[in-house]
Amino acid sequence: MVIKGSDIARQMEKNLRQEVTRLKERKIMPTAAIVRVGENPSCIVYGRSAEKKLEAVGISVRRVAFPGDIAQGAFMEEFKKINNDPEIHGILLLRPLPLHLDEKAISAEVNPLKDVDAISPMNMYKVMAGDITAFSPCTPEAVIDIIDYLGIGLEGKKVAIMGASMVVGLPLFLLMLNRNATCVQCHIHTKDLAKECGDAEIVVVAAGKRGLIRSEHIAPRAIVIDVGINVGEDGRLYGDVSFEEVVLKAGYITPVPGGVGAVTSAVLASHVVKAAKMLYAV
Ligand code: NAD
């Protein structure tokens, strides 16, 4: 069965719209700042798309743009104001930042309670500790939401994760562990992928390698979640899973495009709402 991310996102957005309406009735206006430095085209595109998604559920967006040559000190000063502004509940810092800026130092400055994109090291610690105030990175949380949507309990499930990056694979491992799954984390140095994921009930692929997972890698009726995004020579988007053959063997599978990506945007919006609710303890 092919899992449509857009169906899941639509349901999440419907619930979020209701939550935002309830907050507005209490005079709380959930607000996100989208912060951009310079004119990086991918940041501009992603910023616009995030803005549309947030506004679609009623979240107010403040666009903050700085010149590409802003000095570290000056940026930190300005960033502090956004961090401390009580009317801003969530901060999305568009990356990559210009090379002269110290991205690690800036990420560490983000107020963890406004860190809706989960770039602050404190949030990673909170995810590890299973702290309910944590913001998990949006994509791994989207994977968990998809599995929840299917009504499949994670407790005791064997999960194989392809990829171990700080953005997807590693935080996903922690989220799975928090839900009492038994996980195997595979990466570029893993010797035998088929052996590691061949008996997994859930296989999540986030390696950025088109066609990495084929039908011989998965157990019959496994749940296959494809996070990968690869641009083919034809300009189309492809996942990391060889969809045409794996769909015939899997129990559930997410397509690319139209799978995890759609849910990821809804998760970002849910984080802004969560941040506003945490601030006012409602
Ligand atoms: P990354 O390059 O930072 O990490 C890739 C990981 O995959 C590494 O841990 C690496 O060891 C592992 N890997 C690479 N080749 C492998 C192989 N042959 N076998 C096993 N493991 C291998 O990438 P990332 O930021 O984690 O992103 C992974 C993919 O997910 C990319 O295609 C990216 O575009 C996509 N992505 C999608 C979304 C979304 O919302 N759908 C969000 C973020 C990333």
Side-chain angles (χ1 to χ4, degrees):
M1 199 168 166
V2 178
I3 308 163
K4 283 200 181 142
S6 48
D7 288 350
I8 303 173
R10 210 171 299 123
Q11 183 61 48
M12 289 169 74
E13 283 157 6
K14 189 175 160 215
N15 296 341
L16 283 170
R17 245 175 252 123
Q18 289 169 354
E19 284 203 68
V20 170
T21 305
R22 277 197 289 275
L23 287 172
K24 286 180 180 169
E25 282 165 4
R26 305 174 80 140
K27 308 277 179 258
I28 299 165
M29 180 67 212
T31 302
I34 300 184
V35 182
R36 175 164 59 84
V37 186
E39 302 295 323
N40 180 312
S42 68
C43 290
I44 294 174
V45 171
Y46 179 61
R48 272 199 209 120
S49 136
E51 184 177 338
K52 259 170 69 183
K53 293 276 177 191
L54 295 173
E55 287 181 341
V57 297
I59 292 168
S60 164
V61 173
R62 278 207 221 160
R63 256 182 279 149
V64 191
F66 295 103
D69 60 356
I70 190 167
Q72 176 86 13
F75 180 75
M76 287 299 220
E77 276 307 304
E78 292 300 322
F79 196 71
K80 236 179 239 165
K81 291 181 198 159
I82 302 168
N83 240 351
N84 296 333
D85 185 333
E87 288 179 2
I88 292 174
H89 306 114
I91 298 173
L92 175 62
L93 175 66
L94 300 172
R95 294 168 299 154
L97 293 171
L99 289 176
H100 69 280
L101 293 178
D102 182 347
E103 198 168 301
K104 264 195 185 156
I106 294 168
S107 301
E109 273 303 303
V110 181
N111 178 345
L113 297 173
K114 298 186 179 188
D115 184 21
V116 292
D117 201 27
I119 64 171
S120 128
M122 176 54 89
N123 260 319
M124 194 60 139
Y125 168 74
K126 285 184 173 184
V127 171
M128 250 191 273
D131 184 327
I132 55 163
T133 67
F135 291 105
S136 321
C138 298
T139 303
E141 191 174 321
V143 171
I144 299 284
D145 285 344
I146 289 170
I147 294 166
D148 285 347
Y149 178 86
L150 298 175
I152 290 159
L154 278 164
E155 199 165 296
K157 287 279 188 305
K158 175 163 182 203
V159 180
I161 301 170
M162 309 296 113
S165 75
M166 289 289 282
V167 183
V168 189
L170 202 51
L172 181 60
F173 182 94
L174 298 172
L175 294 179
M176 290 283 184
L177 200 58
N178 287 345
R179 299 286 288 270
N180 299 320
T182 302
C183 303
V184 174
Q185 186 119 50
C186 302
H187 44 77
I188 189 83
H189 301 290
T190 302
K191 290 208 174 81
D192 189 344
L193 285 187
K195 183 166 162 252
E196 301 301 343
C197 54
D199 64 343
E201 294 154 283
I202 300 173
V203 178
V204 186
V205 196
K209 289 275 174 300
R210 181 177 168 189
L212 177 70
I213 295 300
R214 308 186 58 126
S215 62
E216 73 251 29
H217 290 102
I218 66 150
R221 291 183 297 284
I223 298 164
V224 180
I225 313 264
D226 191 353
V227 178
I229 300 175
N230 307 285
V231 183
E233 281 168 8
D234 55 6
R236 292 171 57 196
L237 296 184
Y238 294 89
D240 289 352
V241 175
S242 192
F243 185 86
E244 286 73 17
E245 55 176 271
V246 175
V247 73
L248 302 174
K249 192 173 178 187
Y252 289 99
I253 184 167
T254 58
V256 176
V260 177
V263 183
T264 299
S265 314
V267 170
L268 178 68
S270 78
H271 284 179
V272 179
V273 172
K274 173 176 167 175
K277 286 167 76 176
M278 280 199 301
L279 182 68
Y280 297 98
V282 291

